[in-house]
Amino acid sequence: MKRLAVIGHPVAHSRSPAMHNAALAELGLAGEWSYEAMDLAPDELAQRVRAMEGEGFVGANVTVPHKGAALSLADTLSETAREIGAANTLSFADGEIVADNTDAQGMLDALPGSPAGRRALVLGAGGAARAVVWALLREDAAVDVWNRTEQRSRDLCAELGGEPVAVPDQSSYGLIVNSTAVGLRGEDPFEDLPLTEEGFGPEQVVLDMVYGAEPTALLRAAAAAAAVTVDGIEVDPLADDLR
């Protein structure tokens, strides 16, 4: 049995096992391949990942909060992962760990149109945010980055581009992307993010990288204001095929 996994902390919310196992079954590979969720705390990550090939794993998806650390564990980096500085995919073969990043293209594919020429606000400064900022800048969007720890947004922009912002004007953005983990455990996004429920508008696109069984509170508020909403599940390349 060839094993695959999604690695995160927490990871119980992930729909990756359901999607990928459905895909394997559709391809007639369910008896040869399996996909599971693996909850690893940060201090468990390195040792566990290095042991995975010996346990029959050939690859893993990586989610919050391990995307930066996953990059540092790899022996070989794709050009995309190297430029972004984070990895959401690891593969194992011949004693080597190879890192890649599909978040950037997945995010662009999930948007209803090109972000070129739009003003975008990216919330967060972790691995997912790095992929979003990198992708939007390459598509010629104007990108502002907010993070609760302001120095982290400054550091990200110094590396990748964009402008750090301490108090963003919510109504001035054509695109807002939440790439923080706020909402993952049911937090109120309007307590933890620099947004208000009333601040969305009908011309905006709002993407929440957090997802669950139902639209997040952030997306519900945006939809109530007639904004175009994009669920984080749409960033997964399997979402369209398995919805």
Side-chain angles (χ1 to χ4, degrees):
M1 179 71 72
K2 295 179 180 179
R3 302 173 70 186
L4 302 166
V6 56
I7 299 169
H9 184 66
V11 78
H13 69 283
S14 177
R15 291 160 69 182
S16 289
M19 289 194 297
H20 287 81
N21 281 316
L24 292 171
E26 182 68 21
L27 294 169
L29 298 174
E32 304 171 40
W33 294 71
S34 67
Y35 192 104
E36 61 198 79
M38 188 179 293
D39 192 327
L40 296 178
D43 61 356
E44 301 173 301
L45 182 69
Q47 182 177 358
R48 189 73 176 86
V49 166
R50 292 189 177 110
M52 288 178 71
E53 185 180 0
E55 298 171 356
F57 286 94
V58 296
N61 297 120
V62 182
T63 188
V64 175
H66 299 315
K67 294 182 180 184
L71 191 79
S72 67
L73 292 173
D75 302 295
T76 302
L77 312 179
S78 72
E79 186 66 16
T80 300
R82 185 190 64 77
E83 290 187 9
I84 292 171
N88 74 334
T89 303
L90 299 175
S91 58
F92 313 107
D94 302 322
E96 183 174 84
I97 302 174
V98 179
D100 199 358
N101 193 306
T102 63
D103 277 339
Q105 191 59 53
M107 185 276 301
L108 292 174
D109 290 344
L111 295 177
S114 170
R118 304 198 81 169
R119 189 170 182 225
L121 172 64
V122 178
L123 303 169
R130 296 181 70 90
V132 171
V133 170
W134 181 85
L136 291 176
L137 289 172
R138 286 173 68 91
E139 294 294 313
D140 295 321
V143 181
D144 287 350
V145 182
W146 173 91
N147 192 67
R148 183 163 41 195
T149 303
E150 191 174 345
Q151 187 60 49
R152 293 193 66 199
S153 60
R154 291 177 180 170
D155 291 344
L156 186 154
C157 292
E159 290 182 53
L160 298 181
E163 294 293 331
V165 58
V167 185
D169 177 4
Q170 181 177 346
S171 64
S172 68
Y173 297 98
L175 171 63
I176 297 175
V177 181
N178 175 35
S179 60
T180 75
V182 172
L184 194 60
R185 297 177 174 86
E187 304 95 332
D188 182 349
F190 303 107
E191 291 184 359
D192 295 311
L193 300 176
L195 304 174
T196 65
E197 293 185 63
E198 302 78 21
F200 297 110
E203 300 299 318
Q204 289 179 317
V205 175
V206 181
L207 189 161
D208 195 348
M209 299 285 277
V210 171
Y211 68 83
E214 301 292 335
T216 63
L218 186 68
L219 291 186
R220 293 197 300 272
V228 176
T229 61
V230 182
D231 195 294
I233 193 67
E234 302 294 336
V235 176
D236 193 303
L238 286 177
D240 288 338
D241 295 331
L242 301 177
R243 190 181 308 117

